[in-house]
Amino acid sequence: MKFLNPSLLILSCFVLGGMIFKSTAPTRCATLFPNDSLFVLTGDGRRIPFAMRQLRKYPNADLYIIGAGAPNSIKPARHITIESESKSTYQNATAIKKIVDANGLDRIVLITTVDHFNRAKYLLRQELPTIEITACPVPLTGMPVTRRIERWTTEYIKYIGTIMGIKESF
């Protein structure tokens, strides 16, 4: 009996895992509540405008802009807090943990792009195992298919590295 080539088997597992990774990412914003705490991760130009639109729908919500990519044009306001020290998704998760702990939150809304969602939620779950994390993914609209495939593949590889324990280098 002839066995499969190990390279083909590894490639098949990688592709199947990638398909599962993509299919498990949320595609729509879950139900938000008027007084929710929205946490948007910087890093993609779509995320903050999307979060600002959510804030307009829910003016009593609190918005936390997390990451070094926070633009200078956005100023902290009554419902907007900017954390600009964290430079990686792992550091974003630890910054969010500090905010959650300081404010006694038991539910947060995570806003990041759909391709980045699984890894960001995984890292947050490691830092905040008992907090309810509500999904509000930003779609990758207006992007060529080849670029979307490239982004999903990159995030999938980063996700694999993250679950293997590599957090800070991504």
Side-chain angles (χ1 to χ4, degrees):
M1 184 172 191
K2 193 174 185 181
F3 291 97
L4 286 174
N5 179 335
S7 297
L8 181 60
L9 183 60
I10 291 169
L11 178 62
S12 297
C13 288
F14 180 79
V15 170
L16 179 61
M19 292 167 57
I20 293 168
F21 174 76
K22 185 176 186 312
S23 69
T24 58
T27 57
R28 296 200 172 147
C29 203
T31 302
L32 302 184
F33 300 132
N35 294 323
D36 265 332
S37 296
L38 314 175
F39 288 82
V40 59
L41 306 182
T42 61
D44 180 283
R46 295 169 187 80
R47 296 175 188 171
I48 293 174
F50 181 87
M52 297 303 282
R53 287 192 298 275
Q54 296 305 315
L55 188 59
R56 281 193 290 277
K57 290 181 198 175
Y58 302 94
N60 291 324
D62 291 315
L63 176 63
Y64 298 89
I65 300 172
I66 307 296
N72 292 332
S73 60
I74 298 177
K75 301 296 179 208
R78 181 172 173 259
H79 290 286
I80 300 174
T81 303
I82 299 173
E83 182 284 329
S84 59
E85 297 298 315
S86 58
K87 294 175 177 46
S88 68
T89 305
Y90 173 69
Q91 290 176 14
N92 292 162
T94 59
I96 291 171
K97 179 183 179 4
K98 288 177 188 171
I99 294 167
V100 166
D101 289 348
N103 292 289
L105 303 175
D106 58 3
R107 171 189 158 99
I108 66 169
V109 176
L110 178 60
I111 299 175
T112 189
T113 46
V114 65
D115 60 326
H116 184 242
F117 207 92
N118 285 342
R119 186 167 64 93
K121 184 175 179 184
Y122 178 85
L123 286 165
L124 269 173
R125 182 61 56 220
Q126 298 300 303
E127 296 297 317
L128 297 164
T130 61
I131 298 298
E132 179 183 347
I133 300 172
T134 302
C136 195
V138 181
L140 297 176
T141 55
M143 182 182 289
V145 172
T146 54
R147 180 70 180 120
R148 282 197 311 267
I149 291 170
E150 178 185 323
R151 283 181 58 138
W152 276 102
T153 303
T154 300
E155 282 300 326
Y156 175 50
I157 291 168
K158 288 179 175 183
Y159 182 76
I160 291 170
T162 300
I163 61 173
M164 291 176 66
I166 303 169
K167 296 177 183 177
E168 194 59 51
S169 64
F170 293 109

